[in-house]
Amino acid sequence: MAPMLQSSQPWVEKYRPKQVKDVAHQDEVVKVLSNTLETTNCPHMLFYGPPGTGKTTTALAIAHQLYGPELYKSRVLELNASDDRGINVVRTKIKDFAAVAVGSGHRQGGYPCPPYKIIILDEADSMTEDAQNALRRTMETYSKVTRFFFICNYISRIIEPLASRCAKFRFKPLSEEIMSSRILHICNEEGLNLDSEALSTLSSISQGDLRRAITYLQGAARLFGSNISSKDLISVSGVIPQEVVQALFAACKSGDFDLANKEVNNVIAEGYPVSQMLSQLFDVVVEADDISDEQKARICKRLGETDKCLVDGADEYLQLLEVASNTMRALCNMPQEFSFES
Amino acid sequence: MVMGKRSTIIISSSDDEKKDPLWNSSRSNSKSKSKSSVRGTNPRGSKKARLSDSRSRLCNDSSNVNEITLFCEDFDDGFSGFKVSTGSGKSSRKDLWVDKYKPRSLEELAVHKKKVEEVKVWFEERLKATREEFCNHVLVITGQAGVGKSATIQVIASHLKARVCEWNTPTPTIWQEHMHNSNAGIRYTSKLDEFESFVERIRKYGLVQSSFTGELKSSVILLIDDLPVTNGKVAYGRLYNCLHLLVRSTRIPTAILITDYGKSDSADHPARSFEELQLSLENAGACKVAFNPITTNSIKKTLSRICRQEQCNVTAEQIDLIAKASGGDIRHAITSLQYFCLKPDPMRSLSLSNPTTSYSKEKSDELNPLDDGFSLPFGRDETLSLFHALGKFLHNKRETEYSIASDQDAFLVRERFTRLPLKMDAPEKVLCQAHGQARPIADFLHENVLDFLNEEAIDDAWAVASYLSDADFLLATLRGMIARNHEADSVVQSAAASVAVRGVLFGNSHPLPSRWHSIRRPNLWHVEQSSSHNKFELLRQRFCAYNGLSSFNASVIATEYTPVLKWLGYREPEDLEPHQVMMRGNETENDNFDGMSLDDQEGKISEDEIEDW
Amino acid sequence: MLWVDKHRPKTLDQIIVHEEVAQNLKKLVTEQDCPHLLFYGPTGSGKKTLIMALLRQMFGPGAEKVKVENKTWKVDAGSRTIDLDLTTLSSTHHVELNPSDAGFQDRYIVQEIIKEMAKNRPIDTKGKKGYKVLVLNEVDKLSREAQHSLRRTMEKYSASCRLILCCNSSSKVTEAIRSRCLNVRIHAPTEEQIVKVLEFIGNKEGVQLPSGLAARIAEKSNRSLRRAILSFETCRVQQYPFTSNQAIPPMDWEEYVSEIASDIMKEQSPKRLFQVRGKLYELLINCIPPEIILKRLLFELLKKLDAELKHEVCHWAAYYEHRMRLGQKSIFHMEAFVAKFMSIYKAFLIATFG
């Protein structure tokens, strides 16, 4: 790859911890893995947990610490979801890489260099079941010379035979303090000014996902310069300002269909992503005190269905209008069934 | 039907085998089995024998003629060879009548006299004339399968004492087979490649035989049957160029046979491309003769002649029935007849196939197969039965009251969900008999169902519409997994068809008393065509007309720019005109559309058959 | 030339409506550091205008010298090669295309074009801007697979090309892509902003525009600036000098839809349904996208309904639009919606008036 302009390097890469011990907030994991590093004995591993909690970082850090920059290229194969990982790749590329034996462990330049290779499969839960099944044989056959690191968000999407062959590590969502400290560190390095309001906004909109927080921060810094306000962060992140959500919700409460329709039109015209609107609306509904559980259930059911429709590509305006209408009927205790249905 | 259809194709394959021992040995294992099983039904043996005739030696000698097969006039030779190969005593019974009773003289041809004459004169002129007198030496003969296109050529040739050299597509090598053979060093050549090289050779050397053989300087007719099927633009372009070269350069009278496929499915690409091809050939100077389906009377005459010669006991009514069902395909009619006569007891099977119905009602005979599940062995025309099936579904005939049997299914249904029992088989069965494909069935039902609803029953209309929407949804899920999962594919297909049909039956809860209705072809198909055409135009124009500066988005152009431009009268002379003419033209196109869609004949049939059903 | 095109701002500095965004973009580009960008917002909000101006800012007037190219791409798709025809707009610095035009094959287009662009990367003697820009429209219409491969190509060739993506709704763009781009939301201009622009154009054209009319045009435009300017121009042709209460000619298809709506309200029967189908066909033939027809129809129907019916009708509209998206032939679903409406409305009439 051609050398990238320094400034355009994503901060996510720039500030990625290089050592396992630097990984934020995953104490148990770090402890176990540090042991591993010392003994250089490493099982197959499966990292799972929500996005942006340091799974990939950890895997890469281990690999780097084991091999050092020189051997890294030849010993580590990194594949993520954007690489083609159909069953054919598993059968050829992965197998070929796995099959090659490597020399026994001579420490080189201060790195342990254990006598096996590592294959890192990022976002393993997006692999097809067939591919996973094919992998299982490969794992067994070459376990002497190759270790697999699986990284995924949802462990339930990894087939059981694979999961059972791995040591599983769960990554917790990052707490707000850890996030804040990390972000402040970056701000210092980059010379940014972030007031406390912006800081708390940032950690709340990124929902425990450090990568997302850093991405937002970089985006905001690029667009708005070094003084970043909470508003700038919101506009960059695609999060919908709370007032807009509240306005829609209030319109639903009012029981006036036309008012709700107007609000919906407004949301669409402002260009807010409707899926985002749904999730924020969901938060509002769940947290609301003055709504009965039954009403909440009614609303949430529709929210779920609508989300699926949106994924299928349905029209945003119609879907949001449907949600608004349904919410209104729930809030105003209108009957669930339509009166004129045959 | 299939077995009789392209019997001549096999020639070249067997030729292949002889010529190429390597090939032969490499697949002898797999091939020998299929060969022997094929032999019983196929005239291959006879053809092979014919090839061992003195003249065919020439083919093997000259290196470039494996595609060209020489036909000899004496069929008896072939038959004797066939007898040996089967080793059975009752040879005359086993042979395909289609070949056995191939017309041998002009009189025996069932094709309309005028057409035969036309073709004959054309050939006579070409053959007699000195070389340069005519500039066009190509005759295109079109017609549906089994109307005697190649038979006509053969007969005329023998009448004119000319030899027929035929190009037949070699047996297609299946890809897997090729893979299997590839270690044996045989290259895979597509039909198209071979056709191209054949044409090339013809152009360069003419027919080698004519100069090669010292014998009687007989005239030669080149016959090109079975054009390679092309897929995609590139292949089509090659075929097109190839044929044009041929038309322009050939000096030998050449007949190109093009089979019309059913026009009912508009989406069928090859069929359409053949039509285009035909047109372009005509433009390049080829003559065209279209053969109509053979009339029932001619078929009947031929069939009775065969019956007399075979001494089968077939009644006139039965012949009549077979002839009618064949849809003008004489090959099919003869095959049916043979099949029919093979039955141990023809009388009984016939009585089974139309139980106790009086013959005065011919129509009901053709409907029979749908009714009692015993399929007549000789129904050919699928669209015919498709229309009947549609008629059944749309008319939605039901019993007037519950039979006592209804207590069998003991569970109660709410009143608005109950329906009287259907006066037909399970809809799936009917569908299966009509060979209905889910997509066209859904389209046809959608087009026509509203005519059959009660004027007041908008609720029914909704029910029907919603079921059709479900069916469409099912059909669409199909698209995503094309070719990935064949089984699931067909399950979804039939589920969709089922939903569409049963939805129409169930939804129409107040069926109208039956009255005359014609079944229209889905207008939707036309709409889709013109819509995609217009879209294409739009996309094309957005660059020239708007200079690329404004938005790219087709929907924006359609909804905002076009109306405004129309309003403003901004008409760039060439750019916008065709588009708008198109729009205006739509209505007129709609009107004459039905005529175009179905052959007159078919259209008529469907209409009177549906009447009073 | 239409006023929409004639008065389109050419540079970031000329932009009136999204002034702030434009200034930020300018800063972004002049710092020589341009990340991938994703513009999203409703139609007619000015995304394309911004992008064009941005390109000009990046490359100077050279970016405006575009040529239309209709190219056939030979794409290697595993076992076979496919030919894809696609029209692109390109200058020496950028290429613009609609990958969704390629339909099912959109994935290959994305891969192939970016690869090709990366190959013949412009070598600027001044060592400046060693990258090309690829503008992809309607990314939200790309298939999942295409988005996936877009993401990979983005990473792979990020050194040699920058992507500018443009779409209506960012929900339909995968998180993976969104997180790799700088997201820029372009909201539809407010009615006041539209009025301002109309007045600006009026000035330039030397047309007297009564403020009442401008406000009404803005109101009718549904906050689409393009729409507003287009109807402004039609008004100008229709009647000049303006009066502030003059009629604003609607789009012909909208009128047609409202006709359909009143047809539906007048009679609810299978026969009428059949007639409606014919009219819907007419709209489809003229390439009006089905979802837009459906939305417009809903809009027209809602205008005429009692509140209690509105909920029901909007539910079914959403339901059938979703179906339409999943299905193959839109007319099946549109017709089902119309039938459902008729059925509901008839029941309502019977309940109210007996």
Side-chain angles (χ1 to χ4, degrees):
Chain A
M1 200 186 283
M4 240 190 279
L5 293 168
Q6 183 58 34
S7 51
S8 68
Q9 187 190 12
W11 291 355
V12 178
E13 294 301 327
K14 197 171 168 188
Y15 295 98
R16 201 188 270 287
K18 301 287 180 298
Q19 304 246 311
V20 173
K21 64 177 168 38
D22 296 338
V23 173
H25 192 54
Q26 310 293 350
D27 301 330
E28 302 99 65
V29 180
V30 168
K31 214 164 72 199
V32 175
L33 290 178
S34 304
N35 267 337
T36 311
L37 277 177
E38 273 160 36
T39 58
T40 72
N41 183 15
C42 158
H44 297 305
M45 288 197 258
L46 172 59
F47 298 154
Y48 66 100
T53 48
K55 300 181 296 295
T56 311
T57 306
T58 312
L60 292 177
I62 293 178
H64 274 289
Q65 279 180 281
L66 283 177
Y67 300 112
E70 274 171 38
L71 274 175
Y72 182 85
K73 271 249 154 65
S74 62
R75 291 292 183 88
V76 180
L77 178 66
E78 236 188 293
L79 293 171
N80 64 24
S82 39
D83 295 296
D84 189 13
R85 282 191 311 192
I87 186 158
N88 283 329
V89 173
V90 171
R91 282 199 184 128
T92 55
K93 198 169 167 188
I94 294 186
K95 203 169 144 196
D96 289 348
F97 185 83
V100 182
V102 287
S104 58
H106 292 297
R107 297 185 74 89
Q108 278 189 357
Y111 294 101
C113 293
Y116 48 74
K117 298 179 304 299
I118 291 178
I119 296 180
I120 300 174
L121 292 168
D122 208 342
E123 293 159 65
D125 40 4
S126 69
M127 285 170 81
T128 62
E129 204 157 298
D130 283 349
Q132 292 191 32
N133 268 313
L135 206 55
R136 171 179 159 188
R137 290 286 310 147
T138 317
M139 267 174 86
E140 271 169 11
T141 320
Y142 304 107
S143 62
K144 281 230 169 61
V145 287
T146 307
R147 298 288 183 274
F148 283 88
F149 289 5
F150 296 99
I151 299 172
C152 65
N153 295 137
Y154 304 101
I155 193 173
S156 53
R157 292 202 199 143
I158 302 291
I159 60 169
E160 184 52 35
L162 276 194
S164 74
R165 283 172 173 75
C166 302
K168 301 185 203 58
F169 296 94
R170 183 173 165 273
F171 284 65
K172 294 174 294 189
L174 303 179
S175 70
E176 250 179 59
E177 305 90 76
I178 305 279
M179 283 262 267
S180 307
S181 72
R182 215 47 221 176
I183 286 169
L184 283 178
H185 167 72
I186 294 175
C187 287
N188 280 337
E189 295 279 314
E190 296 287 335
L192 300 179
N193 276 324
L194 210 58
D195 56 37
S196 63
E197 189 202 345
L199 191 62
S200 72
T201 312
L202 185 56
S203 49
S204 78
I205 58 177
S206 54
Q207 293 172 325
D209 181 341
L210 186 56
R211 178 178 45 207
R212 213 193 290 181
I214 298 175
T215 315
Y216 292 159
L217 191 65
Q218 188 177 18
R222 276 169 160 173
L223 264 187
F224 304 105
S226 56
N227 283 317
I228 298 169
S229 70
S230 141
K231 198 170 133 260
D232 298 339
L233 283 169
I234 285 180
S235 85
V236 148
S237 67
V239 171
I240 301 170
Q242 206 56 29
E243 314 87 81
V244 178
V245 184
Q246 288 298 348
L248 180 63
F249 192 64
C252 292
K253 261 190 179 160
S254 74
D256 180 352
F257 184 89
D258 293 325
L259 185 61
N261 192 357
K262 209 175 130 236
E263 275 310 320
V264 169
N265 265 318
N266 182 45
V267 170
I268 300 292
E270 287 294 321
Y272 294 118
V274 170
S275 54
Q276 180 67 35
M277 182 49 129
L278 293 186
S279 68
Q280 289 186 246
L281 201 59
F282 174 77
D283 291 340
V284 170
V285 169
V286 171
E287 282 161 18
D289 304 324
D290 52 347
I291 310 178
S292 75
D293 285 354
E294 196 194 329
Q295 286 169 326
K296 284 183 183 177
R298 248 175 94 174
I299 296 169
C300 292
K301 177 165 170 273
R302 187 63 241 176
L303 285 174
E305 287 166 5
T306 305
D307 191 49
K308 160 70 176 139
C309 291
L310 285 177
V311 169
D312 289 337
D315 185 80
E316 297 201 312
Y317 164 74
L318 289 174
Q319 291 301 329
L320 190 58
L321 185 60
E322 157 83 332
V323 163
S325 138
N326 183 71
T327 311
M328 184 186 297
R329 285 187 302 125
L331 291 176
C332 303
N333 290 315
M334 295 187 216
Q336 202 157 1
E337 282 78 35
F338 292 119
S339 32
F340 298 107
E341 201 168 353
S342 52
Chain B
M1 174 174 146
V2 177
M3 51 184 185
K5 193 169 171 191
R6 287 280 169 239
S7 52
T8 40
I9 295 177
I10 291 121
I11 303 169
S12 40
S13 93
S14 54
D15 204 19
D16 252 10
E17 280 169 39
K18 244 186 255 167
K19 206 188 70 173
D20 204 316
L22 202 65
W23 172 285
N24 201 9
S25 65
S26 73
R27 60 169 182 185
S28 61
N29 278 349
S30 60
K31 229 9 219 244
S32 63
K33 202 169 132 207
S34 67
K35 220 190 276 175
S36 60
S37 66
V38 164
R39 193 158 282 169
T41 55
N42 237 318
R44 173 193 298 221
S46 70
K47 294 292 165 65
K48 235 181 189 171
R50 220 184 294 154
L51 281 170
S52 64
D53 183 78
S54 63
R55 245 176 273 165
S56 68
R57 247 200 353 253
L58 298 172
C59 297
N60 283 340
D61 291 347
S62 57
S63 57
N64 65 339
V65 270
N66 69 332
E67 305 94 337
I68 300 179
T69 347
L70 300 170
F71 266 70
C72 24
E73 286 78 17
D74 45 350
F75 281 80
D76 292 337
D77 243 22
F79 292 143
S80 63
F82 185 67
K83 267 175 215 158
V84 171
S85 68
T86 52
S88 124
K90 290 192 290 174
S91 66
S92 59
R93 285 246 137 173
K94 293 264 172 72
D95 193 19
L96 277 185
W97 291 0
V98 178
D99 293 317
K100 190 170 170 183
Y101 295 102
K102 214 161 202 156
R104 257 157 273 169
S105 65
L106 288 176
E107 289 71 40
E108 280 181 34
L109 270 179
V111 184
H112 198 280
K113 291 282 171 301
K114 246 164 72 188
K115 298 277 179 189
V116 178
E117 195 57 29
E118 199 179 323
V119 177
K120 199 182 83 180
V121 168
W122 190 88
F123 274 113
E124 269 171 357
E125 281 172 354
R126 299 300 181 284
L127 288 173
K128 275 184 206 143
T130 48
R131 295 252 144 161
E132 309 305 328
E133 202 166 314
F134 290 96
C135 49
N136 60 335
H137 284 270
V138 174
L139 177 70
V140 178
I141 300 182
T142 63
Q144 70 179 74
V147 294
K149 295 184 296 291
S150 33
T152 308
I153 302 288
Q154 302 287 0
V155 169
I156 288 177
S158 76
H159 178 82
L160 297 174
K161 305 274 182 315
R163 247 170 354 109
V164 173
C165 289
E166 187 170 0
W167 186 79
N168 259 310
T169 357
T171 322
T173 324
I174 310 164
W175 182 247
Q176 275 87 352
E177 205 179 339
H178 162 65
M179 293 308 278
H180 177 74
N181 286 323
S182 55
N183 355 13
I186 293 163
R187 272 198 318 120
Y188 177 84
T189 41
S190 74
K191 270 185 173 184
L192 192 56
D193 293 337
E194 291 190 31
F195 186 67
E196 269 183 339
S197 61
F198 169 72
V199 169
E200 189 62 19
R201 255 177 281 140
I202 293 283
R203 287 182 52 225
K204 280 195 183 135
Y205 313 115
L207 280 179
V208 180
Q209 288 83 5
S210 51
S211 56
F212 191 86
T213 61
E215 48 184 297
L216 66 149
K217 184 105 171 72
S218 74
S219 31
V220 177
I221 290 173
L222 183 62
L223 172 63
I224 294 174
D225 198 345
D226 191 23
L227 288 175
V229 174
T230 52
N231 225 336
K233 257 193 235 159
V234 181
Y236 174 76
R238 278 170 63 196
L239 180 63
Y240 178 88
N241 287 337
C242 206
L243 284 171
H244 268 244
L245 273 179
L246 188 70
V247 170
R248 256 181 273 125
S249 59
T250 182
R251 289 283 166 265
I252 312 160
T254 304
I256 298 176
L257 309 186
I258 295 180
T259 307
D260 299 338
Y261 297 97
K263 281 178 190 158
S264 58
D265 39 357
S266 62
D268 195 14
H269 177 71
R272 238 189 301 154
S273 69
F274 274 136
E275 267 168 45
E276 275 170 48
L277 209 59
Q278 189 186 312
L279 268 178
S280 68
L281 281 177
E282 276 177 66
N283 292 339
C287 284
K288 184 198 149 187
V289 175
F291 278 28
N292 295 329
I294 295 177
T295 57
T296 321
N297 273 339
S298 306
I299 294 185
K300 268 191 332 209
K301 240 176 16 203
T302 313
L303 292 184
S304 352
R305 179 168 58 84
I306 295 175
C307 286
R308 269 199 310 282
Q309 289 179 11
E310 285 287 330
Q311 290 160 357
C312 314
N313 194 8
V314 185
T315 63
E317 283 96 1
Q318 287 159 343
I319 287 183
D320 188 56
L321 202 57
I322 294 175
K324 282 222 167 99
S326 72
D329 178 346
I330 190 158
R331 181 161 47 209
H332 179 79
I334 297 178
T335 316
S336 303
L337 182 69
Q338 183 179 17
Y339 176 50
F340 188 68
C341 290
L342 278 178
K343 291 270 167 78
D345 183 358
M347 285 318 287
R348 226 196 56 189
S349 77
L350 192 71
S351 63
L352 256 178
S353 63
N354 18 245
T356 65
T357 30
S358 64
Y359 258 110
S360 56
K361 279 174 69 189
E362 289 171 358
K363 288 175 223 155
S364 60
D365 285 323
E366 295 183 11
L367 299 172
N368 260 330
L370 309 174
D371 270 330
D372 54 19
F374 183 92
S375 175
L376 276 177
F378 33 69
R380 178 192 131 102
D381 200 348
E382 284 181 17
T383 45
L384 202 70
S385 35
L386 179 66
F387 277 109
H388 289 300
L390 288 169
K392 273 169 177 279
F393 299 142
L394 291 169
H395 280 290
N396 198 5
K397 284 259 178 165
R398 291 174 184 272
E399 310 286 350
T400 39
E401 58 193 37
Y402 289 103
S403 51
I404 312 129
S406 63
D407 58 4
Q408 280 172 342
D409 38 345
F411 65 90
L412 283 170
V413 190
R414 263 201 265 172
E415 204 200 335
R416 65 194 184 101
F417 294 126
T418 52
R419 298 284 188 274
L420 291 164
L422 286 171
K423 262 193 193 164
M424 68 171 102
D425 282 328
E428 285 76 19
K429 203 168 169 187
V430 179
L431 264 183
C432 170
Q433 282 158 353
H435 301 284
Q437 293 255 308
R439 184 79 254 179
I441 288 270
D443 290 353
F444 267 105
L445 289 175
H446 171 252
E447 175 68 32
N448 291 291
V449 72
L450 291 180
D451 293 349
F452 292 82
L453 296 180
N454 198 316
E455 223 8 72
E456 294 299 304
I458 189 63
D459 293 348
D460 288 0
W462 170 67
V464 168
S466 88
Y467 281 115
L468 286 175
S469 143
D470 290 346
D472 179 63
F473 165 62
L474 283 171
L475 282 168
T477 48
L478 213 85
R479 248 192 332 185
M481 43 187 202
I482 303 165
R484 206 186 307 159
N485 194 340
H486 218 70
E487 220 163 292
D489 198 282
S490 71
V491 171
V492 178
Q493 277 266 4
S494 41
S498 211
V499 167
V501 168
R502 283 184 180 270
V504 166
L505 289 171
F506 174 82
N508 185 3
S509 60
H510 313 89
L512 290 174
S514 53
R515 58 180 156 131
W516 188 85
H517 272 296
S518 66
I519 291 192
R520 284 185 307 269
R521 183 179 194 268
N523 203 357
L524 176 60
W525 295 350
H526 171 65
V527 170
E528 277 169 351
Q529 255 176 16
S530 20
S531 154
S532 69
H533 175 88
N534 281 349
K535 190 155 196 171
F536 180 78
E537 287 293 307
L538 265 184
L539 293 183
R540 203 176 54 78
Q541 281 167 12
R542 70 179 174 202
F543 297 109
C544 13
Y546 312 124
N547 196 20
L549 278 174
S550 26
S551 173
F552 233 41
N553 191 321
S555 81
V556 170
I557 295 176
T559 54
E560 298 184 16
Y561 277 81
T562 326
V564 168
L565 284 173
K566 238 189 274 179
W567 218 101
L568 294 179
Y570 255 76
R571 291 188 194 177
E572 275 115 304
E574 314 108 296
D575 282 337
L576 289 167
E577 214 74 271
H579 181 57
Q580 276 161 4
V581 170
M582 253 297 307
M583 289 184 182
R584 267 182 262 122
N586 280 329
E587 256 135 87
T588 46
E589 249 177 78
N590 274 335
D591 293 340
N592 56 23
F593 193 66
D594 284 16
M596 178 186 98
S597 61
L598 309 158
D599 293 355
D600 288 349
Q601 189 205 9
E602 261 182 332
K604 251 182 261 151
I605 291 174
S606 72
E607 278 171 23
D608 16 73
E609 296 305 326
I610 293 303
E611 178 183 3
D612 195 35
W613 168 240
Chain C
M1 203 188 227
L2 291 175
W3 287 357
V4 201
D5 295 325
K6 194 171 164 190
H7 298 287
R8 188 188 291 273
K10 294 279 186 309
T11 64
L12 289 173
D13 291 323
Q14 291 172 7
I15 284 175
I16 306 174
V17 176
H18 299 282
E19 206 179 349
E20 200 185 343
V21 179
Q23 288 312 313
N24 284 329
L25 285 174
K26 192 176 169 188
K27 205 157 51 186
L28 190 72
V29 177
T30 42
E31 278 166 16
Q32 285 219 10
D33 159 26
C34 179
H36 301 305
L37 291 169
L38 170 66
F39 289 87
Y40 63 97
T43 61
S45 57
K47 299 182 293 295
K48 272 310 279 295
T49 308
L50 267 171
I51 291 174
M52 295 308 293
L54 181 67
L55 286 173
R56 195 191 148 106
Q57 182 74 42
M58 287 161 108
F59 302 113
E64 280 170 7
K65 292 199 186 82
V66 287
K67 59 174 189 293
V68 180
E69 245 180 320
N70 206 337
K71 202 169 160 188
T72 307
W73 301 83
K74 285 208 184 304
V75 182
D76 181 32
S79 51
R80 64 217 164 88
T81 45
I82 327 175
D83 289 323
L84 289 174
D85 287 327
L86 202 71
T87 314
T88 56
L89 274 181
S90 54
S91 73
T92 40
H93 303 284
H94 84 285
V95 178
E96 173 174 350
L97 69 152
N98 262 20
S100 53
D101 284 354
F104 289 122
Q105 268 96 31
D106 51 3
R107 166 158 68 117
Y108 303 116
I109 279 296
V110 167
Q111 279 171 355
E112 209 54 32
I113 293 183
I114 300 184
K115 218 187 282 169
E116 169 132 347
M117 276 181 42
K119 251 189 255 157
N120 42 38
R121 177 177 172 188
I123 300 160
D124 201 342
T125 41
K126 289 160 211 141
K128 239 178 80 181
K129 298 286 190 317
Y131 56 82
K132 264 192 163 184
V133 171
L134 176 61
V135 181
L136 296 178
N137 289 307
E138 300 178 36
V139 265
D140 45 353
K141 289 195 185 144
L142 283 179
S143 64
R144 295 258 131 187
E145 291 80 30
Q147 295 201 17
H148 234 101
S149 67
L150 180 60
R151 163 189 170 175
R152 176 172 54 198
T153 1
M154 258 162 100
E155 283 169 347
K156 217 163 157 186
Y157 298 107
S158 65
S160 52
C161 83
R162 291 285 176 276
L163 293 180
I164 296 183
L165 311 176
C166 180
C167 67
N168 286 340
S169 82
S170 74
S171 325
K172 289 174 194 165
V173 180
T174 59
E175 174 69 39
I177 291 183
R178 268 187 282 159
S179 77
R180 281 166 179 76
C181 297
L182 186 58
N183 298 0
V184 185
R185 178 172 61 88
I186 309 295
H187 63 82
T190 60
E191 286 176 15
E192 296 81 64
Q193 282 172 317
I194 291 180
V195 169
K196 231 165 82 188
V197 173
L198 292 181
E199 278 164 356
F200 172 78
I201 292 177
N203 262 337
K204 279 213 161 177
E205 288 286 331
V207 177
Q208 287 298 322
L209 178 64
S211 65
L213 182 62
R216 278 178 51 237
I217 291 176
E219 188 194 327
K220 272 210 148 184
S221 69
N222 202 15
R223 292 181 68 181
S224 158
L225 186 56
R226 172 174 49 229
R227 182 65 194 275
I229 300 176
L230 285 170
S231 26
F232 181 33
E233 194 174 355
T234 47
C235 285
R236 164 80 174 78
V237 173
Q238 188 195 37
Q239 180 189 349
Y240 188 77
F242 293 124
T243 54
S244 69
N245 57 353
Q246 84 178 83
I248 301 165
M251 300 285 169
D252 53 357
W253 64 273
E254 286 180 352
E255 224 165 351
Y256 207 61
V257 172
S258 97
E259 236 171 76
I260 294 178
S262 42
D263 281 357
I264 295 173
M265 302 292 287
K266 263 186 225 135
E267 184 188 330
Q268 297 83 36
S269 71
K271 203 163 141 204
R272 181 52 61 96
L273 184 58
F274 185 72
Q275 289 161 358
V276 168
R277 180 201 291 172
K279 295 194 170 178
L280 290 176
Y281 276 155
E282 194 65 29
L283 288 170
L284 287 177
I285 286 180
N286 285 307
C287 302
I288 313 291
E291 64 274 7
I292 291 185
I293 302 176
L294 194 68
K295 273 200 279 190
R296 189 72 199 179
L297 188 57
L298 177 69
F299 172 78
E300 294 287 347
L301 291 174
L302 285 180
K303 279 203 297 204
K304 307 178 182 187
L305 287 181
D306 280 15
E308 52 179 330
L309 275 181
K310 284 179 180 171
H311 293 287
E312 205 164 338
V313 173
C314 96
H315 167 77
W316 289 108
Y319 177 83
Y320 281 113
E321 196 276 335
H322 175 222
R323 269 328 198 47
M324 190 157 80
R325 204 59 71 126
L326 296 176
Q328 208 171 359
K329 307 207 167 178
S330 49
I331 187 72
F332 279 59
H333 311 282
M334 278 200 270
E335 195 174 313
F337 169 68
V338 174
K340 185 71 199 177
F341 178 82
M342 285 182 169
S343 158
I344 293 170
Y345 192 64
K346 196 174 178 189
F348 166 77
L349 288 180
I350 291 171
T352 347
F353 305 110

